[in-house]
Amino acid sequence: MHNAAFAALGLNWRYLAFEVEPKNLRAAIAGARAMNFAGLNLTVPHKLLAMELVDELDESAKKWGAVNTIKFQPEGAVGFNTDADAITRSLREDLKLELRGAKILLLGAGGAGRTAALKLVSENVAELYLVNRTPSKAEAIAGEVKKQFPSVTVAVGYPRAKMDLVLNATSLGLKADDASPLDERQFSLKQTRAVYDMIYRPAETQLLACAKAAGCLTANGLGMLLHQGAKAFEIWTGRTAPLDVMRRALEQSVYGH
Ligand code: ATR
C-alpha cells in the first residue's frame, strides 16, 4: 500500500520489509538511520521494546505505550503509535459503530488487545468486558483501564447482557484449524449487533462467518491495517495519504483481486 501511494504521489521512495530479531532491533534502528531511511514501521514483537530504543516519544506512543512507527528527525528517532486511532476509525467506518455509550466484549489481552481496550475506553464506551485464555493478562489490562479511566465499567469475563460489538484481538483464526476465540456456550453471537475481527487474512475467519450467519454486522481488520499505514505515511511524508489507492493496493496484495 505504501509503494502504491508513493507512486500515486510521484515520490521516489520505497517501502521494504525486513525480518529483525528482537536482539538486533537497536542495531537495525541505528542502521536504518545511518542509511538515511525516512522512517520505519515495527510489528510484533517489537512494538513495546521500541519504546526504550527511540530518542523521543510522540504523545501517541506515550498514551498507548507502544511504538509501531518511527520517523527519523535530525535530532533523533521519534516513536509514534498509529494503531490505536486506526482501530476506532475502522470500527466507525466499517461497522458504523457509535463508540460513545457502546457495550463491547473484547477477546484477547496481548499487545493488540491492550491498545484496543485503552483506546475504546478513551472514546467513552459504557461497558467493556475482557476475555483472554490467560485471565491474569485480562485482569492486568482491566486494572490499567480502571486507573486511567475510573468512570468506565470494565470487567473480566463474558457478559450476560447484549453487546454492541464483539472485537477479536487474539490471533485465533489466522490458521484454518484454529478454535474460535469466542466460547459460544458462554456468549451467543445472537447477543451482539456487530463483530469485528482484527484478522484480515483469511478475509472471513470462522468467527466472522458464524457472526454473519447469526445476522451480525461484520468487518475484518483490513480497515485497521489501512489506517495505521495511512497515518504512518503522513508522518513520514507530510503529505495526505491517498486512501483509495492504498486500499486498492492492500486488497490486491492481501486477497489477489
Ligand atoms: P498481538 O500483539 O497481536 O496482540 P500477542 O501479544 O502475542 O500478539 O497476543 C496474542 C493474543 O492471542 C493473546 O490474547 C493470546 O492469549 P494469551 O494471552 O493467553 O497468550 C491469544 N492467543 C494466541 N493463541 C491462542 C490460543 N491458541 N488460544 C487462545 N488464545 C490465544
Side-chain angles (χ1 to χ4, degrees):
M1 66 175 146
H2 288 292
N3 287 325
F6 294 145
L9 297 190
L11 294 171
N12 187 17
W13 295 37
R14 298 289 182 277
Y15 188 96
L16 302 164
F18 301 92
E19 207 166 316
V20 175
E21 298 273 328
K23 68 174 180 354
N24 294 328
L25 184 60
R26 182 187 296 276
I29 293 172
R33 183 159 183 223
M35 290 189 289
N36 287 322
F37 279 41
L40 298 169
N41 272 145
L42 305 159
T43 189
V44 179
H46 298 309
K47 295 182 190 182
L48 293 182
L49 187 54
M51 291 281 290
E52 316 295 324
L53 300 180
V54 293
D55 302 302
E56 196 186 318
L57 292 169
D58 175 68
E59 280 308 310
S60 58
K62 282 187 199 153
K63 200 159 168 190
W64 311 116
V67 168
N68 77 318
T69 301
I70 290 176
K71 181 180 169 82
F72 294 115
Q73 305 273 39
E75 324 70 84
V78 185
F80 295 77
N81 184 299
T82 70
D83 286 329
D85 287 355
I87 298 171
T88 44
R89 182 152 179 200
S90 178
L91 289 174
R92 288 196 171 99
E93 269 182 23
D94 300 327
L95 293 174
K96 311 281 173 266
L97 194 77
E98 170 63 71
L99 290 166
R100 175 179 288 273
K103 297 178 180 176
I104 298 178
L105 166 58
L106 174 62
L107 309 171
R114 179 181 167 279
T115 302
L118 291 170
K119 175 67 180 168
L120 288 169
V121 291
S122 81
E123 299 275 343
N124 297 305
V125 302
E127 296 173 23
L128 182 67
Y129 297 85
L130 303 172
V131 167
N132 196 46
R133 172 179 61 179
T134 314
S136 59
K137 285 167 70 180
E139 296 284 0
I141 293 175
E144 207 178 337
V145 164
K146 278 182 200 152
K147 210 162 108 194
Q148 286 194 37
F149 303 90
S151 62
V152 72
T153 302
V154 54
V156 172
Y158 284 100
R160 287 177 186 278
K162 288 207 164 172
M163 293 288 110
D164 296 298
L165 173 71
V166 172
L167 173 55
N168 178 38
T170 77
S171 49
L172 282 177
L174 283 171
K175 290 188 265 96
D177 56 357
D178 277 346
S180 172
L182 181 75
D183 183 350
E184 288 193 64
R185 290 164 307 182
Q186 305 218 52
F187 185 90
S188 158
L189 283 165
K190 301 253 182 251
Q191 274 172 263
T192 184
R193 197 172 68 77
V195 177
Y196 188 99
D197 200 327
M198 285 195 186
I199 292 171
Y200 53 85
R201 188 165 33 205
E204 188 174 77
T205 56
Q206 214 187 334
L207 174 67
L208 289 186
C210 293
K212 243 184 212 169
C216 307
L217 280 174
T218 60
N220 72 19
L222 202 79
M224 199 182 136
L225 178 66
L226 169 70
H227 287 301
Q228 64 74 31
K231 182 68 196 177
F233 182 95
E234 294 182 345
I235 289 168
W236 298 320
T237 65
R239 306 275 298 268
T240 302
L243 276 176
D244 290 345
V245 169
M246 295 179 86
R247 189 189 298 274
R248 261 197 315 271
L250 257 188
E251 285 168 354
Q252 182 69 41
S253 116
V254 177
Y255 305 129
H257 57 77

